[in-house]
Amino acid sequence: MGSWLRTTTALGILALTVGACGSPPAQQSNSADSGAKNFKACMVSDSGGFDDKSFNQTSFKGLNDAVAALGISKSQLESKSDNDYPANIATMVRQKCNIVVTVGFKLADATYAAAKANPGIDFAIVDNAYTDTAKNPPLPNLQGLTFNSAQPAFLAGYLAAGMSKTGKVGTFGGINIPTVAIFMDGFTEGVAYYNQAKGKQVQVLGWDEATQQGVLTNDFTDENTAKTRAEDLISQGADVIMPVAGPAGLGALAAAKSSGGKVDGIWVDTDGCVSAPEYCPVLLSSVEKAMDVAVAKAVSDAYHKQFSNTAYVGTLANKGVILAPYHGFDAAIPADLKSEITTLAADIASGKVTIKSKNQF
């Protein structure tokens, strides 16, 4: 998987952005320090908070990377519930932020309203693209930061099917929204591709792509419920589990860990061995979104007055999504299976292999 692992860092993208700009325009800096001092980048989390070991935490890293690279100031607010989103965004506006990054699909309406009311401030939102242009006409100061998670999830499904001893693997979601379903769609299609290639009949428990229905926790915070959902799938024979439930999914990893080596997990959004190292011994891999890189680039673009409302889409081709390293499982995963996944990643990136998920951006 070496060539498909993310090698670009947020700082690297910022450096490329600066290099592409050449010398800063005179109005931006009588001194670079002066421009940086007057620029503030801000972020509002969803209810998971910035230590969720998932997409809020990785997005916040992107903000911090940009702040360190550019020497700008920052401000951030954690949302405790969905009701906090409009007020927290309004606070960032009052603090005279130059760019406000909001994290998560659930902040979509509040972010759009704030961007429309404040055309002098740039806004970027993680995991939303405003595809309904009749409802939300494009705004010049609003960019969606999206990720085709179905692509690396397809690889994860192929991996899970190849490693399963019971012939059954499982996945479940937090809330049934497109940014959750896209993972489970890709995972399901990856298992089906493995079955077709190998003449196998590995089953996916917990999600039906055709009906877009499956097992859910109905939130992103309750680890106990997630653990129960995972245990239910394990009791039905699943020996690889991929939770798509934000920090609640840690409960599923706990269930895998307590299985005594009989069940493995696959994490999502971040490299679980980095964000939740206590569970690394049970993680085959992770379906990773480079949210830190996307956020850092949006902030850098706003700082350099190159902000665009064209939605960013992370793919395998641009390394905006990846299947994370195998870490401790590297020696346990057969060499031919790893080679097949590397080839499959290249084929997806080139378009030779296509993914059908209707939830793709």
Side-chain angles (χ1 to χ4, degrees), residues 24-39:
Q27 68 268 26
Q28 283 189 13
S29 71
N30 292 327
S31 90
D33 290 341
S34 175
K37 182 178 180 181
N38 293 325
F39 190 94

Side-chain angles (χ1 to χ4, degrees), residues 58-76:
T58 305
S59 298
F60 189 49
K61 177 183 179 295
L63 177 69
N64 289 328
D65 287 345
V67 168
L70 298 169
I72 59 178
S73 61
K74 69 168 183 174
S75 184
Q76 70 274 346

Side-chain angles (χ1 to χ4, degrees), residues 231-352:
E231 289 171 343
D232 288 344
L233 295 175
I234 292 168
S235 70
Q236 296 173 53
D239 61 352
V240 180
I241 304 290
M242 186 183 78
V244 192
L250 295 172
L253 300 190
K257 191 173 182 178
S258 65
S259 73
K262 296 179 180 178
V263 179
D264 299 319
I266 294 173
W267 193 236
V268 300
D269 288 331
T270 66
D271 184 337
C273 282
V274 175
S275 61
E278 65 273 28
Y279 294 114
C280 191
V282 300
L283 287 176
L284 291 174
S285 184
S286 301
V287 179
E288 190 175 355
K289 301 190 299 191
M291 294 166 289
D292 53 341
V293 175
V295 168
K297 186 178 187 305
V299 172
S300 178
D301 286 348
Y303 176 74
H304 290 290
K305 302 189 183 303
Q306 296 181 329
F307 189 83
S308 169
N309 68 347
T310 300
Y312 167 86
V313 182
T315 65
L316 286 175
N318 65 20
K319 297 182 175 61
V321 292
I322 63 166
L323 187 68
Y326 304 123
H327 296 290
F329 278 91
D330 190 66
I333 298 171
D336 58 348
L337 179 57
K338 290 190 286 188
S339 178
E340 290 164 10
I341 291 172
T342 298
T343 299
L344 186 55
D347 288 345
I348 293 171
S350 70
K352 183 177 179 180

Side-chain angles (χ1 to χ4, degrees), residues 127-145:
D127 269 352
N128 194 70
Y130 300 104
T131 54
D132 186 351
T133 55
K135 176 184 176 182
N136 299 120
L139 300 174
N141 62 326
L142 176 59
Q143 182 186 36
L145 307 177

Side-chain angles (χ1 to χ4, degrees), residues 46-49 51-57 106 127 171-175 177 179-181 183-184 216-227 242-254 266-270 272 275-276 279 287 289 291:
D46 80 353
S47 56
D51 60 350
D52 65 351
K53 303 182 186 297
S54 189
F55 64 97
N56 282 286
Q57 185 169 321
K106 293 196 291 183
D127 269 352
T171 185
F172 66 89
I175 298 173
I177 55 178
T179 49
V180 169
F183 283 95
M184 298 188 288
L216 302 169
T217 62
N218 294 312
D219 76 357
F220 295 110
T221 58
D222 189 341
E223 292 186 32
N224 289 329
T225 298
K227 185 176 182 181
M242 186 183 78
V244 192
L250 295 172
L253 300 190
I266 294 173
W267 193 236
V268 300
D269 288 331
T270 66
S275 61
Y279 294 114
V287 179
K289 301 190 299 191
M291 294 166 289

